[in-house]
Amino acid sequence: MNYPIEYQVVEQPSMQSNLLRTILSLRIGRRKIDSVPEGFMLVKMVMAPFNPSDIAFLQGSYNVKKALPAVPGFEGAGIVVAMGKGLESEWLGRKVACFAGSDGDGTWAEYLLAKPNQVLAIDESLSWEQAATFLVNPFTAHAMFALAIDAGIGCIALNAAGSRVAEWMRAFANRNKLETINIVRKAEVKDQLINRGVKNVLVSNDEHFAEELQRIAHDLDCRMAFDALGGIPGGQMLNAMPRNSRLIVYGGLSNQPLGEVDVLGLIFKGKKVEGFDLNQWWAKSSMADKQLVAAEIAELIHDGSVLNQISQIVDLKDVASGLRHYLGHMSEGKVLLRM
Ligand SMILES: NC(=O)c1ccc[n+]([C@@H]2O[C@H](COP(=O)([O-])OP(=O)(O)OC[C@H]3O[C@@H](n4cnc5c(N)ncnc54)[C@H](OP(=O)(O)O)[C@@H]3O)[C@@H](O)[C@H]2O)c1
């Protein structure tokens, strides 16, 4: 490599009062690297997606906060092009999926400095689109699905069921012959899922939604629900479920505290509320475990069991229009930045 390396990043200069203003304030910034620090590798980024955690970060409502101006983006994929002292040379030239650290610049950039625990070497045959979305959602779904397997249950309930996490949860459920209950907020998303063969799809604002959810959850003895929303929808799921059900809260897309949980259910019916955080799973799992999960995920992609949809790919300079498209069409699939 010829140093210094100068490159472009997406830069968030300020935290505006509303999300749209923040998005419109995003600009192209420049960074310079004089050398790769010891213990780091330099990844030449190829693509990076927009995820709900990125939106929360832009709004200042995520648990990771960085000094402004900040480079957003928690996930992406690229090629390792240089390494600092102390790292094995076998990384060089590898296609990797990567996380951004909780400090330092994010993945919406032409280069990322990453430590080995932030990257996973992946199957060279995966497309860049699949590589860039390989870590956050598939691994979250895999780790959460393991909770259902450990509990030995036969059915799981999912809200925000048009999401990528839900798509992956259904792929694992199909593979392991578990039923799923799928809750969406738009009739057109219900139709899309049904057209793809998904069963038990409910629309949350239908008139008899709560009764229908209760009926189907009891019929299928569905005792584990995964909540991406928080607010009333999360509480509603747990209330509708049979005795000894668990609600695993893993997202807060409603931007509301978990609401309307029936306290009698918690006290007298053995119901429980828990949280799930991929970062904690990642930190405690060995590289060998991660590679096993990665192999299973790659297999599901290759055999077509999962449709990891991509709705748009935009250049770095078009980050704002890409984000606006993503926010209006989340169930359509991921929007990716191309570096
Ligand atoms: N805890 C963790 O470690 C972890 C890790 C990964 C992901 N997550 C969480 O997983 C969830 C899904 O992420 P993803 O990347 O798979 O999502 P995604 O593919 O971008 O899709 C988001 C989905 O959420 C729906 N949605 C958004 N706001 C909603 C609202 N207020 N009410 C009802 N539905 C709403 C969208 O439906 P429409 O099409 O109707 O807008 C869309 O189906 C997010 O909550 C994310 O934060 C958590």
Side-chain angles (χ1 to χ4, degrees), residues 52 137 140 164-165 185-186 228 250 253 276 278 326 331 334:
N137 291 329
T140 295
R164 287 335 91 208
V165 170
R185 64 173 165 179
K186 296 176 187 159
Y250 69 101
L253 284 165
F276 175 83
L278 179 65
Y326 171 59
S331 295
K334 285 294 165 199

Side-chain angles (χ1 to χ4, degrees), residues 50-53 62 136-137 140 144 160-166 184-186 189 204 227-229 233 249-255 276-279 326-334:
F50 303 144
N51 284 320
S53 51
Y62 197 55
V136 171
N137 291 329
T140 295
M144 293 199 304
S163 74
R164 287 335 91 208
V165 170
V184 297
R185 64 173 165 179
K186 296 176 187 159
V189 178
S204 55
D227 175 27
L229 301 173
V249 181
Y250 69 101
L253 284 165
S254 71
N255 284 323
F276 175 83
D277 170 25
L278 179 65
N279 292 316
Y326 171 59
L327 287 171
H329 309 83
M330 285 178 137
S331 295
E332 246 180 41
K334 285 294 165 199

Side-chain angles (χ1 to χ4, degrees), residues 39-294:
F40 282 82
M41 59 185 88
L42 184 64
V43 182
K44 170 108 185 57
M45 298 299 294
V46 176
M47 283 189 191
F50 303 144
N51 284 320
S53 51
D54 300 314
I55 304 300
F57 176 82
L58 292 175
Q59 285 175 308
S61 56
Y62 197 55
N63 71 327
V64 175
K65 304 204 190 306
K66 298 183 181 180
L68 297 174
V71 178
F74 288 112
E75 172 179 38
I79 293 177
V80 178
V81 290
M83 288 182 316
K85 280 192 196 130
L87 294 190
E88 309 273 340
S89 60
E90 68 192 23
W91 281 108
L92 211 54
R94 291 302 303 262
K95 186 174 194 171
V96 293
C98 43
F99 286 121
S102 53
D103 47 12
D105 287 345
T107 55
W108 298 358
E110 290 176 325
Y111 287 91
L112 178 79
L113 280 172
K115 292 184 176 159
N117 65 357
Q118 289 169 239
V119 301
L120 195 71
I122 53 165
D123 189 337
E124 296 282 338
S125 65
L126 286 173
S127 68
W128 282 113
E129 288 84 345
Q130 299 298 341
T133 52
F134 194 80
L135 292 184
V136 171
N137 291 329
F139 273 75
T140 295
H142 192 283
M144 293 199 304
F145 188 74
L147 301 174
I149 293 291
D150 288 349
I153 56 170
C155 175
I156 56 173
L158 308 164
N159 61 16
S163 74
R164 287 335 91 208
V165 170
E167 175 76 22
W168 279 99
M169 294 288 283
R170 280 191 296 272
F172 295 122
N174 288 340
R175 184 173 249 213
N176 290 276
K177 308 212 175 337
L178 265 71
E179 296 277 2
T180 59
I181 298 173
N182 300 278
I183 303 165
V184 297
R185 64 173 165 179
K186 296 176 187 159
E188 70 257 30
V189 178
K190 172 180 176 173
D191 294 343
Q192 284 156 15
L193 293 180
I194 288 176
N195 287 339
R196 288 177 30 219
V198 178
K199 291 191 291 180
N200 309 319
V201 189
L202 306 178
V203 179
S204 55
N205 52 21
D206 276 357
E207 196 184 344
H208 299 295
F209 166 71
E211 297 93 306
E212 183 61 5
L213 177 58
Q214 179 153 4
R215 184 193 62 73
I216 199 165
H218 282 75
D219 283 357
L220 295 174
D221 191 26
C222 185
R223 283 180 283 111
M224 192 172 282
F226 294 90
D227 175 27
L229 301 173
I232 292 171
Q236 231 178 3
M237 274 210 293
L238 188 62
N239 296 344
M241 296 174 70
R243 285 178 172 275
N244 300 319
S245 289
R246 288 160 66 187
L247 179 73
I248 318 289
V249 181
Y250 69 101
L253 284 165
S254 71
N255 284 323
Q256 298 295 321
L258 189 63
E260 298 199 1
V261 174
D262 172 21
V263 290
L264 298 183
L266 299 178
I267 300 168
F268 298 114
K269 294 184 182 165
K271 297 189 183 183
K272 292 196 168 47
V273 180
E274 302 161 35
F276 175 83
D277 170 25
L278 179 65
N279 292 316
Q280 292 176 39
W281 181 93
W282 190 263
K284 71 171 194 229
S285 300
S286 68
M287 186 49 85
D289 283 345
K290 289 170 192 165
Q291 273 161 351
L292 281 177
V293 175

